[in-house]
Amino acid sequence: MIRAELTVVPPGGGEADYTMMVDFPALPRQGDYISISRENVPDDDKNEHVGNTDFIVRRVWWIGKMDFSDPSPEPVGKCSAAIECEYAIGPFSSTAHKKNAAFHHEYRGKPKPTVFEPSGY
């Protein structure tokens, strides 16, 4: 597993809305779709969070750190990854997610969010 920070930005880019740590089986690449479902959410008509939050990967940021206090002749750095992604709409997007994605387009003048292709097969 690869632990990476998922940074969510509005469609077309801009200031990050939020970040979360996610364990990935492999590092996502530009253009990959990411769907995250919420576990243990009551499935009723009033719960707008039932369904997925969907994103499309825009870029991967590699963040390196060097510790020069290490007395060894060649300090070894550590690297982590931040996955920058934008809101997207998938076939199972939650109502709350669709509202958040639409907000950026309607009220902040951002492009419409990407809509997932109906099938990846």
Side-chain angles (χ1 to χ4, degrees):
M1 288 292 194
I2 299 170
R3 181 164 290 173
E5 181 178 271
L6 195 67
T7 301
V8 179
V9 298
E15 187 175 326
D17 273 2
Y18 61 93
T19 63
M20 63 182 125
M21 294 302 288
V22 178
D23 289 332
F24 292 96
L27 200 58
R29 297 174 299 179
Q30 183 177 5
D32 283 351
Y33 296 159
I34 297 175
S35 290
I36 298 175
S37 62
R38 294 174 181 241
E39 305 251 336
N40 303 316
V41 176
D43 188 5
D44 60 38
D45 292 338
K46 297 176 186 172
N47 193 332
E48 294 185 340
H49 293 285
V50 173
N52 295 340
T53 52
D54 298 303
F55 311 101
I56 186 165
V57 176
R58 291 297 175 212
R59 61 186 52 88
V60 175
W61 293 83
W62 290 100
I63 303 161
K65 293 183 182 179
M66 294 292 294
D67 182 3
F68 289 101
S69 65
D70 186 346
S72 63
E74 294 186 34
V76 176
K78 293 184 178 182
C79 202
S80 62
I83 313 302
E84 182 181 322
C85 57
E86 294 182 2
Y87 285 92
I89 303 299
F92 305 107
S93 291
S94 71
T95 302
H97 179 74
K98 289 176 186 175
K99 285 181 180 179
N100 285 339
F103 167 80
H104 291 290
H105 172 66
E106 294 171 11
Y107 298 104
R108 296 182 71 195
K110 296 291 185 177
K112 286 186 177 181
T114 300
V115 176
F116 285 1
E117 295 175 18
S119 174
Y121 302 101

